[in-house]
Amino acid sequence: LISSNVIALQTRLLDRSGTEAASFATGEDVTVSIDFRVLRQLARPVFAVGIHTPDLLYLCAERSAAEISTKVLAPNLYRLNCILRNLPLLPGLYAIRASVVSGEMQAEDFYAENLAVLNIRESVGYSARDHRGEGFLELNANWSMGVVTEEAAPPSAGHLYDADAQVISENTNG
């Protein structure tokens, strides 16, 4: 993939050990490794790696500005590694996109979609039936539930019971 200033030569997806992999479990680290050639000097380049669905719904992206602060990138061959930690994608097929912008106005030097296919599989203890197409990301959430007694008082005045019918809390206002 070629632009006027940058050529992407190869994109690989690596596991935690640095080995190229075809699929990853929900929650695993994924390293996006892109080999590229800079054709013209780039001032203050900022790199971005993103993930999209096969039908080009952009899900997320991460920019390098906070971690790579190169003033000038001279013409040469480079390898960019972006480690996506604990990737929360639900099982399915996704794709990698990337861009490079540079200069005071952050002009686009390179942009491409579908650089690599990212196959996310179920992790141990996870079942796709748990989510049944309810999104793309596994959220880190905690749930609780109890039985609330119905009394003549307003709903906020009831008792909250746990699953064993033990009182969890009691509203003493009122």
Side-chain angles (χ1 to χ4, degrees):
L1 298 163
I2 301 172
S3 73
S4 60
N5 296 329
V6 176
I7 300 172
L9 302 170
Q10 178 181 14
T11 302
R12 298 177 307 135
L13 303 177
L14 311 174
D15 63 17
R16 284 186 182 179
S17 70
T19 303
E20 192 165 356
S23 69
F24 300 84
T26 296
E28 282 187 334
D29 290 355
V30 177
T31 298
V32 178
S33 182
I34 303 173
D35 292 349
F36 64 97
R37 181 176 301 282
V38 172
L39 304 174
R40 295 188 185 111
Q41 181 173 298
L42 304 178
R44 293 179 306 284
V46 176
F47 305 91
V49 169
I51 298 173
H52 63 82
T53 63
D55 59 348
L56 299 177
L57 175 63
Y58 294 173
L59 300 178
C60 55
E62 186 63 35
R63 293 173 50 95
S64 68
E67 295 186 50
I68 298 177
S69 58
T70 304
K71 298 250 186 252
V72 174
L73 203 59
N76 209 335
L77 181 62
Y78 296 91
R79 175 168 292 151
L80 177 72
N81 288 323
C82 177
I83 302 172
L84 305 172
R85 303 259 183 225
N86 305 310
L87 198 60
L89 292 173
L90 295 175
L93 289 177
Y94 303 91
I96 299 297
R97 61 188 173 96
S99 68
V100 181
V101 297
S102 67
E104 187 69 30
M105 300 300 293
Q106 295 288 280
E108 188 172 276
D109 293 298
F110 175 81
Y111 180 80
E113 296 160 337
N114 295 306
L115 289 173
V117 173
L118 176 59
N119 182 11
I120 301 295
R121 66 181 186 280
E122 294 180 357
S123 59
V124 175
Y126 172 87
S127 171
R129 289 175 289 153
D130 294 342
H131 292 279
R132 290 181 278 154
E134 293 176 348
F136 300 104
L137 302 175
E138 181 176 65
L139 300 177
N140 185 1
N142 293 312
W143 292 80
S144 64
M145 183 175 77
V147 176
V148 178
T149 62
E150 293 186 33
E151 299 176 4
S156 63
H159 301 296
L160 182 61
Y161 292 91
D162 65 13
D164 297 321
Q166 300 297 313
V167 174
I168 296 173
S169 66
E170 184 174 329
N171 188 340
T172 58
N173 299 333

